[in-house]
Amino acid sequence: MKTRITELLEIKYPIIQGGMAWVAEHNLASAVSEAGGLGLIGAGGAPAEFIREQIQKVKEATDKPFGVNLMLMNPEADDIARIIVEEGVKVVTTGAGNPGKYMAMWKEAGVKVIPVVASVAMAKMMERGGADAVVAEGMESGGHIGSATTMTLVPQVVDAVTIPVIAAGGIADGRGFAASIMLGAEAVQMGTRFVVAKESIVHENYKKKVIGAKDIDSEVTGTSHGHPVRQIRNNMTREYVKLEKEGAPFEELEKLTLGALRKAVVEGDTVNGTLMAGQIAGLVKKEQTCAEMIQEIMAEAEKLLNR
Ligand code: TUI
């Protein structure tokens, strides 16, 4: 399947792996790229030099295109933005903010820039700033989210910009892929399904929680202070939501989540860790290789789209 995104990124299939903090490291990114999608290293809150090492490991593992997701709240974002250029990374996606201040540097270096947006206004601003494409991410997604759903956001962004749009949020199979194409998207970005990939280094306990999750098992924390984060409900989210209802200050809430994503991903703490996952976790039923996932999704989508 050819779209402006497969042409722009020189990839075989229009499937991009989400740039998930802690989860999207070199093993997962190189597996997705080797399978014909676009693998991403998720910078999350990691130190800049760690990201450089991750980039170098992907380069050793595959000669296919891959990218880096720069989470803009990272305190070392400036250094990571520069490392992306120094290491010759071809694609950058950004999240949780406005990447405007890096745009000129990246464009000059020939890096393809794809900001993740959660609104039409942000999509238009990014297009004006020189973005090559945007990811329109609905609130079905795991992690830090906006307020519009994928179903409503994607067609509105498609109508508002001329650059290609990638749909994200609630997509995990060929039906979601085909539906995204129908909404005008030219690729999809998936996170939750890749969390349980065989090549994903996520702790088995976390993977089991995603595989066992039902449709309404996620919870959004952080709405009281403007940083909503979707994750699978557990002891930590119950406590968080309770404190939020009582009007607890941010400093107190932060104590619950500090280091909690690492606790879940690395240590497998499903009780007090942050189990970021999207609403589509209920559809994710087994661990497969990235290649198996991509092949299955493309075969199903092509059948549906040809009908
Ligand atoms: O960035 C994400 N998802 C993320 S980042 C992340 S790391 C984190 N960990 C703990 C707490 C908070 C964050 C986990 N998940 N998705 C892309 C995304 N970007 N969703 C929404 C946005 C967004 C929000 C505001 C993009 C732009 C924006 O603009 C604000 C502005 O500056 O105008």
Side-chain angles (χ1 to χ4, degrees):
M1 179 185 269
K2 268 197 178 143
T3 70
R4 283 189 292 168
I5 292 294
T6 59
E7 302 283 301
L8 177 75
L9 305 181
E10 297 177 51
I11 52 177
K12 190 162 178 205
Y13 304 115
I15 296 181
I16 295 164
Q17 167 234 316
M20 303 162 280
W22 287 99
V23 175
E25 47 67 76
H26 69 96
N27 291 290
L28 185 64
S30 43
V32 171
S33 286
E34 266 299 297
L38 186 82
L40 293 182
I41 293 163
E49 282 310 315
F50 176 78
I51 300 306
R52 191 196 294 280
E53 288 161 22
Q54 294 287 311
I55 293 168
Q56 289 169 350
K57 284 180 179 160
V58 178
K59 281 193 214 161
E60 283 164 23
T62 181
D63 51 13
K64 301 224 165 64
F66 68 94
V68 170
N69 172 269
L70 177 55
M71 204 279 286
L72 292 158
M73 293 190 289
N74 184 310
E76 297 186 22
D78 290 357
D79 294 329
I80 300 170
R82 186 177 38 76
I83 286 169
I84 286 166
V85 173
E86 285 169 9
E87 294 292 328
V89 174
K90 301 248 170 34
V91 188
V92 61
T93 69
T94 63
N98 183 345
K101 69 170 176 171
Y102 307 121
M103 213 73 126
M105 173 178 72
W106 285 335
K107 297 297 297 175
E108 204 170 303
V111 183
K112 305 282 189 294
V113 185
I114 310 183
V116 178
V117 300
S119 69
V120 166
M122 192 72 181
K124 285 164 97 168
M125 193 196 295
M126 294 298 104
E127 178 175 53
R128 274 199 305 277
D132 295 281
V134 288
V135 176
E137 188 188 270
M139 53 79 85
E140 296 92 324
S141 302
H144 178 66
I145 52 172
S147 57
T149 61
T150 303
M151 179 75 104
T152 58
L153 180 66
V154 172
Q156 294 186 76
V157 171
V158 166
D159 284 353
V161 298
T162 60
I163 51 176
V165 176
I166 298 156
I171 304 158
D173 67 3
R175 292 171 296 181
F177 180 105
S180 302
I181 299 293
M182 288 295 140
L183 295 176
E186 297 186 55
V188 299
Q189 177 181 281
M190 303 194 310
T192 303
R193 183 139 182 204
F194 287 125
V195 168
V196 307
K198 287 219 167 95
E199 297 91 341
S200 150
I201 51 81
V202 170
H203 197 285
E204 276 308 311
N205 295 352
Y206 192 146
K207 289 187 180 179
K208 280 195 189 124
K209 282 286 177 188
V210 172
I211 286 169
K214 295 189 290 295
D215 53 351
I216 54 170
D217 282 349
S218 76
E219 182 91 81
V220 180
T221 59
T223 39
S224 65
H225 55 83
H227 289 288
V229 172
R230 184 182 300 284
Q231 58 216 281
I232 295 172
R233 190 177 296 108
N234 63 2
N235 187 56
M236 193 277 284
T237 66
R238 283 191 194 95
E239 180 67 15
Y240 198 110
V241 170
K242 184 171 147 273
L243 286 172
E244 272 194 304
K245 280 189 185 138
E246 291 166 8
F250 175 69
E251 293 70 31
E252 194 177 333
L253 296 167
E254 202 187 19
K255 284 184 201 150
L256 286 176
T257 53
L258 219 60
L261 184 57
R262 194 197 76 84
K263 239 191 270 178
V265 174
V266 181
E267 293 168 21
D269 182 349
T270 60
V271 179
N272 294 308
T274 303
L275 299 164
M276 290 189 192
Q279 289 185 320
I280 205 66
L283 205 74
V284 175
K285 287 284 160 246
K286 57 179 186 286
E287 202 171 330
Q288 290 170 302
T289 65
C290 293
E292 284 165 351
M293 290 177 178
I294 290 175
Q295 288 301 324
E296 192 177 284
I297 291 164
M298 290 312 301
E300 189 185 5
E302 274 166 17
K303 219 187 273 173
L304 290 169
L305 292 167
N306 286 332
R307 233 164 46 192

